[in-house]
């Protein structure tokens, strides 16, 4: 979707505030060259099309298009996959609320997978982060609702780095 936003910013009718302008004049959106380009490149997905169609059906062409543009503006702050997941969820419950799309998109981000690897146990993190409260807050955020897998082994990269560090002469 970033490509779609970039295309909107490059399009002839689209100045840097193009999406904001289209909120005021949503009628220009349907004929925008950037929309045609985004459709051709796959940036404007079937989910976008379905949301737009449902929004126009519920609120009329002008208001439905304005609602889609509000959703497109979410792409500036959230990953495309999360916004698409938000639209899919909202459509499943028969709604076209842009606020619900934003909420569901943020939920999708919260439920996504994140892998963190470290060579230091949490007990040693206070050497990296000077403030113990900051260290505890970071560890708490990372470990909340997660699965910790401790292999008990040191990585090859870590061993190579330590070997290089010990081989360097100290002054």
């Amino acid at each position: 979707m970033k490509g779609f936003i970039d295309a909107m910013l490059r399009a002839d009718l689209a100045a840097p505030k193009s999406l904001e302008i289209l909120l005021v004049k949503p009628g220009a959106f349907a004929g925008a060259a950037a929309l045609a380009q985004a459709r051709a490149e796959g940036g404007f997905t079937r989910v976008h099309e379905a949301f737009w169609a449902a929004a126009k059906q519920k609120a009329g062409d002008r208001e439905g298009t304005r609602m889609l543009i509000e959703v497109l503006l979410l792409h500036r702050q959230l990953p495309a996959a999360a916004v698409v997941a938000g639209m899919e969820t909202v459509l499943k419950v028969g709604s076209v609320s842009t606020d619900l799309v934003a909420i569901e998109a943020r939920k999708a981000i919260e439920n996504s997978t994140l892998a963190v690897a470290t060579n230091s146990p949490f007990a040693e993190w206070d050497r990296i982060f000077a403030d113990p409260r900051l260290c505890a807050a970071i560890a708490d955020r990372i470990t909340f609702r997660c699965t910790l897998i401790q292999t008990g082994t040191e990585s090859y990269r870590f061993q190579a780095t330590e070997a290089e560090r010990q081989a360097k002469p100290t002054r």
Side-chain angles (χ1 to χ4, degrees):
M1 192 62 197
K2 183 175 181 337
F4 176 70
I5 299 295
D6 291 343
M8 287 299 295
L9 295 177
R10 286 191 310 268
D12 291 338
L13 73 80
K17 298 284 186 193
S18 61
L19 288 173
E20 287 87 350
I21 291 168
L22 288 172
L23 279 172
V24 178
K25 294 189 157 217
F29 183 75
L35 176 59
Q37 180 182 349
R39 281 179 170 146
E41 293 173 0
F44 195 80
T45 68
R46 64 170 182 75
V47 178
H48 288 90
E49 295 281 4
F51 182 86
W52 192 13
K56 288 192 299 185
Q57 183 180 12
K58 283 201 175 181
D61 283 356
R62 180 178 172 82
E63 184 62 19
T65 300
R66 192 191 60 72
M67 292 167 78
L68 173 70
I69 294 166
E70 284 183 20
V71 169
L72 294 177
L73 286 168
L74 290 174
H75 285 285
R76 291 184 176 169
Q77 302 166 358
L78 303 170
V83 176
V84 170
M87 285 188 290
E88 285 177 327
T89 302
V90 167
L91 287 170
K92 283 179 188 173
V93 298
S95 176
V96 289
S97 166
T98 55
D99 290 337
L100 277 179
V101 172
I103 290 167
E104 292 299 327
R106 286 181 177 88
K107 282 183 184 177
I109 292 169
E110 288 176 8
N111 294 331
S112 63
T113 302
L114 171 68
V116 177
T118 178
N119 292 318
S120 302
F122 291 121
E124 295 177 8
W125 279 25
D126 59 349
R127 288 189 285 168
I128 299 165
F129 303 102
D131 183 356
R133 290 177 68 195
L134 173 64
C135 179
I138 291 171
D140 182 59
R141 285 284 182 144
I142 291 173
T143 59
F144 182 68
R145 293 186 184 165
C146 80
T147 301
L148 291 176
I149 301 171
Q150 296 179 344
T151 61
T153 61
E154 291 183 354
S155 74
Y156 169 78
R157 286 184 223 91
F158 181 74
Q159 291 172 355
T161 301
E162 285 297 309
E164 287 176 19
R165 206 176 285 152
Q166 291 174 358
K168 285 185 181 178
T170 57
R171 296 181 192 189

